[in-house]
Amino acid sequence: MSAFQTAIVPAAGLGTRFLPTTKAVPKELLPVVDTPGIELVATEAAEAGATKLVIVTSPGKDAVAEYFRPQPELEATLEERGKTDLLAKVRRAPNLLTVETAVQDKALGLGHAVGCAEGNLTGADEAVAVLLPDDLVLPTGALKKMAAVREKLGGSVLCAFDIPKEQISAYGVFDVRDTGDDDVKQVVGMVEKPKPEDAPSTFAAAGRYLLDRAIFDALKRITPGAGGELQLTDAIALLINEGHPVHVVVHRGGRHDLGNPGGFLKAAVDFALEHPDYGPELGEWLRARLANS
Ligand code: G1P
């Protein structure tokens, strides 16, 4: 039995940094080469053992969940035309896992968004994974390591990146203690978006959480924090203060931030360079383009 069955993906935001595109297309559906970021994140969740994805969405943002529904007419057309590669691509997302939605009516913060998914859980959900779709954590597999840590140490397990101090104010930051394992640290406090001088460390939350179900009770007891929002970080900090074990797995790999056009473009170029159809020509073009800049 996997450490969790349900993965929650908060996707209710307005995508203001991608306006005007996000007037019509949710940012989670923007393609990294040819595949929407949300499919990459759903694939990661499924590979780590999730069988259900709860997409927290806002009213009118149905296209994100729609993307995971089968498209029988399109599939039939592709089949008739013998386009087996395309057919496989089209069928990939609907076959990954079961997709449900939860609606967040008001943009009250990440903590509130996660809390909106409580009604989608069953009695079997002792822990849930939360994946922020803006964050690509590479190579994938962080959640599997986190699940192994929960199995051993219990409680909740998060993923940490070591971030340059001058960038730390954009993140939830951990106060950590060593455990004897360089890749696993005990978390004794967590603070959302501190000033660099107040940051307890340079270890920041990287958009992957494996949270004990106790988080839903904590989410009901927090008050607005950084930015006037109900912060997931504050609910985790509350659990820590109450003696709930929290650890982080320190991720030594790469990361892309799909949440802004600059980060999104880096991810797209990175993935395209690895793509057998587009990589070689793109690499050549980029070298020539940069030589002339
Ligand atoms: C959110 C979380 C923050 C975390 C970050 C990771 O912030 O609140 O704790 O470090 O994601 O990307 P946001 O980027 O939504 O401001």
Side-chain angles (χ1 to χ4, degrees), residues 1 25 44 46 51 56 68 75 88 96 129 140 155 177 183 214 223 233 256 274 277:
M1 188 83 164
V25 182
E44 180 187 338
T51 52
V56 183
F68 288 90
E75 290 175 26
L96 277 174
T140 54
R177 298 287 178 272
D183 290 341
T223 51
T233 291
H256 283 301
E274 297 297 323
D277 294 345

Side-chain angles (χ1 to χ4, degrees), residues 22-288:
T22 40
K23 279 162 60 188
V25 182
K27 73 171 174 187
E28 294 79 10
L29 292 182
L30 298 178
V32 181
V33 188
D34 58 5
T35 302
I38 190 124
E39 183 178 328
L40 302 176
V41 168
T43 304
E44 180 187 338
E47 279 172 358
T51 52
K52 182 163 85 183
L53 190 72
V54 182
I55 301 175
V56 183
T57 185
S58 49
K61 214 178 158 188
D62 304 326
V64 181
E66 184 61 36
Y67 176 75
F68 288 90
R69 294 194 189 108
Q71 299 249 334
E73 280 180 30
L74 174 60
E75 290 175 26
T77 308
L78 293 172
E79 207 152 21
E80 265 166 44
R81 296 185 186 171
K83 306 263 186 206
T84 45
D85 287 1
L86 289 179
L87 190 59
K89 280 189 185 182
V90 164
R91 285 183 172 155
R92 221 166 39 198
N95 288 336
L96 277 174
L97 27 58
T98 307
V99 171
E100 293 181 7
T101 54
V103 177
Q104 185 188 25
D105 283 324
K106 286 191 199 133
L108 297 179
L110 178 60
H112 179 254
V114 171
C116 289
E118 187 177 12
N120 297 74
L121 304 189
T122 70
D125 289 301
E126 290 173 14
V128 294
V130 174
L131 296 92
L132 305 190
D134 280 355
D135 290 321
L136 289 186
V137 178
L138 300 166
T140 54
L143 270 174
K144 277 191 204 160
K145 284 190 206 154
M146 290 155 63
V149 173
R150 173 170 154 98
E151 192 138 298
K152 197 167 148 204
L153 302 172
S156 298
V157 186
L158 285 73
C159 178
F161 267 82
D162 201 357
I163 298 275
K165 199 169 174 129
E166 59 278 12
Q167 296 167 22
I168 203 76
S169 308
Y171 297 95
V173 183
F174 302 111
D175 190 359
V176 293
R177 298 287 178 272
D178 286 338
T179 60
D181 176 343
D182 256 4
D183 290 341
V184 179
K185 299 201 180 288
Q186 184 195 353
V187 183
V188 296
M190 188 175 179
V191 44
E192 181 70 13
K193 299 191 172 62
K195 291 188 193 135
E197 60 271 27
D198 298 334
S201 76
T202 53
F203 289 111
R208 298 293 179 271
Y209 308 77
L210 177 53
L211 299 169
D212 188 276
R213 195 172 178 140
I215 195 71
F216 290 96
D217 178 61
L219 283 168
K220 290 177 195 126
R221 294 185 284 128
I222 55 168
T223 51
E229 298 189 338
L230 292 167
Q231 296 289 354
L232 184 56
T233 291
D234 293 343
I236 295 165
L238 183 60
L239 287 179
I240 295 169
N241 286 339
E242 293 172 350
H244 179 88
V246 177
H247 293 83
V248 287
V249 169
V250 180
H251 188 74
R252 312 279 179 194
R255 169 174 180 264
H256 283 301
D257 178 3
L258 302 182
N260 66 85
F264 186 88
L265 281 169
K266 284 186 208 158
V269 170
D270 192 18
F271 277 57
L273 285 171
E274 297 297 323
H275 195 289
D277 294 345
Y278 312 119
E281 195 189 329
L282 177 66
E284 222 170 89
W285 181 84
L286 277 174
R287 273 187 286 272

